Amino acid sequence: MHLLIPAAGSGRRMGSQRNKLLLTLLGKPLLSWTLAAAEASGHITWIGIMGQPEDFPDFQVILGDLSLAKPVKLIQGGATRQESVYNGLQALPLNADRVLIHDGARCLATPELFDRAADALLSCPGLIVAVPVKDTIKVVDEHRIVRQTPERSNLWAAQTPQGFEVKLLKKCHEEGREKGWEVTDDAALFEKCGLPVTIVEGEETNLKVTTPVDLALAEFILRQRRDRSK
Ligand code: CTP
Ligand code: MG
């Protein structure tokens, strides 16, 4: 199973000067934690990382420190996550039949989560890992007036990895480019093309490190995992 890791963002909401994936957690860069989980997954055989060329020297250092057994390819990212994934899809080896896409910023995803998604992808064309939402969600208009309260039991928070048949996802990305769709995950393109997206149980700890609070939470969780395994 092939894995693509979007890692070409700038981390604007983190408020840091550089790509947030280069910030450290317990002394190791965020991206390093993500890669270590991918390396430990039994299903993943190939890893593509989409990044901005100015970050490649730092990525090379991370890869040098990890010395992964799996082949890794650095791919030039785009201006948006959607564009970065598009570039990643073009760079997949020709034999890639199914692909998992996992945000570099979700550095707490476990190898078991990758394997669960990879297993499920053998029997459906598209999937996301997700968790039931805990908050009541409101749909709000431009005046900040609440317009709707969707039934919570139908709501799931989408995470990554997300997995797809390569041929289908490529088609959806092409259609998205033609029609100018702007989306924040790949499943949204799949849905817009009328294709089914299956839910696979995610992990509550699989947070996307987005703001400084997330960084503190992620470090806390990693420290707990480390102490438990002592
Ligand atoms: N990403 C990407 N290419 C982009 C933008 C984002 O590959 N042009 C990646 C990020 O590196 C991250 C993932 O997509 O791993 C999810 O994006 P997000 O959490 O929004 O990260 P950033 O875009 O870096 O953060 P922000 O939106 O706060 O600037
Ligand atoms: Mg972003």
Side-chain angles (χ1 to χ4, degrees):
M1 180 83 52
H2 294 71
L3 172 70
L4 289 173
I5 301 182
S10 57
R12 198 178 29 83
R13 286 169 288 177
M14 185 60 71
S16 86
Q17 299 300 324
R18 57 213 292 241
N19 186 345
K20 65 186 177 188
L21 301 188
L22 299 171
L23 300 176
T24 57
L25 286 171
L26 301 185
K28 280 192 249 167
L30 238 103
L31 182 61
S32 169
W33 291 99
T34 310
L35 286 167
E39 169 82 351
S41 146
H43 281 72
I44 292 165
T45 52
W46 181 98
I47 301 170
I49 307 172
M50 290 81 86
Q52 300 297 343
E54 68 258 30
D55 288 334
F56 283 175
D58 290 294
F59 288 6
Q60 295 285 13
V61 171
I62 291 171
L63 291 168
D65 287 345
L66 284 170
S67 56
L68 305 180
K70 298 177 181 177
V72 178
K73 180 170 186 171
L74 293 185
I75 302 157
Q76 182 157 347
T80 61
R81 182 189 181 281
Q82 192 175 338
E83 241 180 79
S84 294
V85 174
Y86 180 87
N87 291 356
L89 289 172
Q90 311 313 310
L92 282 175
L94 288 175
N95 67 349
D97 171 43
R98 283 155 199 267
V99 65
L100 290 179
I101 298 166
H102 180 66
D103 287 340
R106 289 193 188 269
C107 57
L108 300 180
T110 63
E112 294 73 32
L113 184 63
F114 283 113
D115 288 337
R116 187 151 74 239
D119 265 332
L121 190 54
L122 298 177
S123 51
C124 68
L127 62 80
I128 63 174
V129 309
V131 290
V133 303
K134 291 183 284 189
D135 295 317
T136 295
I137 304 289
K138 303 290 183 184
V139 178
V140 178
D141 70 13
E142 65 276 23
H143 306 294
R144 295 210 175 177
I145 300 293
V146 172
R147 289 297 168 200
Q148 224 186 315
T149 305
E151 168 65 37
R152 190 173 57 198
S153 60
N154 295 329
L155 295 175
W156 291 68
Q159 305 179 337
T160 67
Q162 302 194 348
F164 307 91
E165 273 181 29
V166 173
K167 245 192 240 154
L168 288 177
L169 187 63
K170 275 185 166 173
K171 247 200 231 156
C172 297
H173 268 267
E174 292 296 350
E175 187 161 347
R177 281 160 83 91
E178 271 164 37
K179 299 192 172 153
W181 295 337
E182 286 176 22
V183 295
T184 51
D185 73 354
D186 298 282
L189 291 173
F190 228 61
E191 294 154 37
K192 278 174 166 291
C193 289
L195 294 164
V197 178
T198 301
I199 292 278
V200 171
E201 188 86 30
E203 291 172 341
E204 199 176 350
T205 52
N206 180 22
L207 55 90
K208 182 157 70 74
V209 176
T210 308
T211 62
V213 170
D214 298 321
L215 202 62
L217 284 172
E219 185 149 87
F220 176 80
I221 293 165
L222 286 173
R223 188 171 291 123
Q224 273 205 325
R225 284 183 190 169
R226 186 185 62 186
D227 292 347
R228 243 186 252 139
S229 66
K230 267 181 193 164

